[in-house]
Amino acid sequence: MLKGTSSYMYIDLIGNIYIQEEIIYYDKLLTFTCKNDIGNLFVASCIELDEREQWLFLPVSEARLLQILRGSITAYEAFRNAEMGFLWKVALKANNYTTGAAEQVLCMDLEDDDLPDKEIVFDIYGEETFSIKNKDRSRIIEQSVTERREFLDISLELQESHTHEIEASFLGKVLEGTQNIVNIIAHKKGINAKIPKKIKEENKLIYTGDYAASFGIRLKSHSLANILNESDLQENLRIFMNLLEAKSDAKKITEILNGLNPAVIHYYKNFLSMLKKENVSVKTYCAFPNEEYRTLNLSLDEVNQCLKVLESDIKEITKEDIFLGKLVAIDTTTSSFKFISDDEEAISGVIDKSVNTDEYRLPKEAKVKLKIRTKLNDFTGKERIEYELLELQYQ
């Protein structure tokens, strides 16, 4: 029970109101979160300033309140689709907050003019670059520096659930999908989804528990950073964050993907499709031992937009690269080849007309220049990687 003389206002049917977080202040407090005497949570919003003020009090669960304050849902959506189907409409004298009168109103009976604008989000955690409180930000950086390990926090915001629970199978897919993306990003010289054991070991992430969020996953690097507090994993996590940060910007996504393993787009698309299927938005926080910190929010709408771009605007990505290995087969009738790289990746494709293939004793050590195309099939929606031999030099 919170009863006491420090309440901000008193409202019949609700009780004494105790402010928790200030959200909007303009000459006076206009929007805030609060509790009543028995601990019920509300978001309060002033909708009319006059001698007789009009307020809306939105009853919320703790999980729903967290979504609202983290900007995972708009303020309009929160009030329009109240968990209990109703709100309290409260009348208060402007100069006397001790005699408030409340009545229940159904969400469907509210006018849009009484609700926050549809674009407004209540992200109380400050600057655009920070989405968690500064003290929490400082804490995660401090832990990263102390342990000399990279931290990746992933907050899953379930749109159709207001609990701190999640299906085990979905959690497993998120963990596996995240690790797969980091691994495939790390294999920058690779040309398919086969990841060398050494790269997997260097980029291994360890699940170490959860943290306060609708559902928060904490991952840490398996290995320690070097004496300069740097590691290859840091660069790979940066690229992962860059992809998420690009959202539906086709130009930025293409620029990022151009320097990577062609299979990255496949794994990234699968990751986003998984979020879409479960109606989940995501927030990520990265902290490194060199005190670098990054965070971003990807709403469900942004997930959907990004997928549309990947399926419609980014249908083909082409890059050229040099590889060492063994040329094991040439078919002059079909102008095709087969090559095994030093990383034991099997590559087969067509031969450009300009390439001289006059060699009949194979396999043979060689250096090749390949054109690699990642193409999206319009009919199946699946990716296909094609290889073209541009230059051949026997070693």
Side-chain angles (χ1 to χ4, degrees):
M1 304 284 282
L2 300 175
K3 287 184 178 178
T5 58
S6 59
S7 66
Y8 181 66
M9 57 177 64
Y10 176 81
I11 304 168
D12 67 351
L13 303 181
I14 298 181
N16 286 298
I17 296 299
Y18 305 87
I19 294 174
Q20 301 293 300
E21 301 275 6
E22 296 184 2
I23 299 175
I24 298 176
Y25 190 98
Y26 187 77
D27 291 335
K28 64 181 297 181
L29 191 56
L30 299 178
T31 305
F32 56 87
T33 68
C34 56
K35 286 185 177 181
N36 65 3
D37 293 314
I38 58 174
N40 296 137
L41 293 167
F42 304 88
V43 178
S45 178
C46 183
I47 59 175
E48 185 177 327
L49 282 171
D50 210 334
E51 288 186 14
R52 191 77 172 169
E53 295 179 358
Q54 298 292 323
W55 290 72
L56 288 179
F57 274 68
L58 170 67
V60 290
S61 65
E62 185 176 352
R64 181 71 162 180
L65 181 60
L66 192 61
Q67 284 186 319
I68 295 169
L69 296 185
R70 292 165 67 90
S72 299
I73 59 175
T74 65
Y76 175 89
E77 182 185 350
F79 279 81
R80 174 58 75 191
N81 300 307
E83 289 171 292
M84 301 179 67
F86 72 88
L87 301 90
W88 294 98
K89 197 166 188 177
V90 175
L92 287 160
K93 287 185 178 180
N95 58 357
N96 186 352
Y97 278 3
T98 61
T99 56
E103 62 172 331
Q104 278 189 15
V105 291
L106 297 176
C107 297
M108 65 182 71
D109 294 334
L110 288 168
E111 300 289 337
D112 275 4
D113 289 344
D114 291 335
L115 301 177
D117 290 341
K118 293 184 178 181
E119 295 78 20
I120 289 178
V121 293
F122 293 156
D123 186 350
I124 71 168
Y125 299 138
E127 307 160 71
E128 188 174 341
T129 52
F130 303 149
S131 294
I132 57 176
K133 292 181 179 179
N134 285 338
K135 66 178 182 181
D136 294 330
R137 173 179 176 270
S138 299
R139 188 180 299 120
I140 188 176
I141 294 174
E142 183 180 340
Q143 288 177 310
S144 178
V145 171
T146 301
E147 297 185 30
R148 280 179 53 202
R149 298 169 75 184
E150 289 75 26
F151 280 45
L152 175 63
D153 286 355
I154 301 175
S155 171
L156 302 171
E157 309 285 346
L158 287 73
Q159 300 298 309
E160 297 179 357
S161 172
H162 309 310
T163 68
H164 293 266
E165 300 175 350
I166 195 168
E167 288 187 16
S169 61
F170 177 62
L171 175 59
K173 291 175 183 176
V174 172
L175 293 172
E176 183 180 20
T178 302
Q179 183 67 75
N180 285 341
I181 290 176
V182 174
N183 286 346
I184 204 74
I185 287 172
H187 192 26
K188 296 179 178 62
K189 288 291 289 183
I191 47 181
N192 56 38
K194 185 177 180 180
I195 310 296
K197 184 177 179 180
K198 182 174 183 292
I199 287 181
K200 288 183 179 180
E201 192 63 31
E202 290 173 348
N203 290 272
K204 186 186 296 183
L205 296 169
I206 307 298
Y207 172 70
T208 62
D210 53 19
Y211 63 95
S214 288
F215 195 91
I217 302 166
R218 171 152 292 180
L219 303 174
K220 299 180 185 179
S221 62
H222 176 62
S223 304
L224 302 183
N226 61 27
I227 59 173
L228 299 177
N229 289 325
E230 296 174 349
S231 71
D232 290 337
L233 175 59
Q234 289 180 23
E235 178 58 23
N236 302 325
L237 288 174
R238 286 189 194 101
I239 293 171
F240 179 42
M241 294 292 283
N242 289 343
L243 273 174
L244 293 171
E245 200 171 74
K247 297 186 177 178
S248 57
D249 189 323
K251 183 179 179 181
K252 285 185 180 179
I253 295 173
T254 302
E255 288 174 352
I256 296 167
L257 293 174
N258 273 336
L260 301 177
N261 186 317
V264 170
I265 189 172
H266 171 71
Y267 281 96
Y268 185 52
K269 183 181 171 185
N270 283 349
F271 183 78
L272 296 176
S273 297
M274 174 180 60
L275 298 177
K276 177 183 178 180
K277 183 178 179 181
E278 299 295 332
N279 290 324
V280 172
S281 59
V282 63
K283 285 192 174 183
T284 54
Y285 314 96
C286 257
F288 299 153
N290 62 5
E291 300 189 12
E292 181 180 343
Y293 176 83
R294 288 180 66 179
T295 181
L296 64 93
N297 175 29
L298 197 66
S299 70
L300 187 55
D301 283 344
E302 289 169 331
V303 168
N304 292 333
Q305 287 299 316
C306 186
L307 276 170
K308 286 180 181 178
V309 166
L310 290 174
E311 292 168 355
S312 61
D313 296 353
I314 308 179
K315 292 189 176 181
E316 181 173 323
I317 293 176
T318 302
K319 76 168 187 175
E320 296 179 4
D321 215 332
I322 305 292
F323 299 91
L324 296 175
K326 288 183 179 180
L327 189 66
V328 296
I330 289 177
D331 188 335
T332 56
T333 59
T334 60
S335 294
S336 61
F337 74 96
K338 186 174 182 180
F339 179 80
I340 306 295
S341 74
D342 283 349
D343 289 327
E344 298 184 350
E345 292 181 290
I347 306 158
S348 58
V350 299
I351 303 172
D352 185 81
K353 292 180 180 179
S354 64
V355 178
N356 180 10
T357 58
D358 293 338
E359 175 64 48
Y360 302 99
R361 291 173 297 174
L362 299 177
K364 188 162 184 169
E365 296 291 334
K367 180 168 74 171
V368 300
K369 182 176 183 180
L370 301 178
K371 178 179 284 187
I372 308 162
R373 294 186 186 91
T374 306
K375 303 180 72 174
L376 180 68
N377 186 300
D378 287 333
F379 183 71
T380 64
K382 294 183 178 180
E383 292 80 17
R384 182 174 75 254
I385 301 177
E386 297 178 349
Y387 308 99
E388 182 177 359
L389 180 60
L390 300 179
E391 294 178 10
L392 170 61
Q393 182 180 342
Y394 293 114
Q395 300 296 295

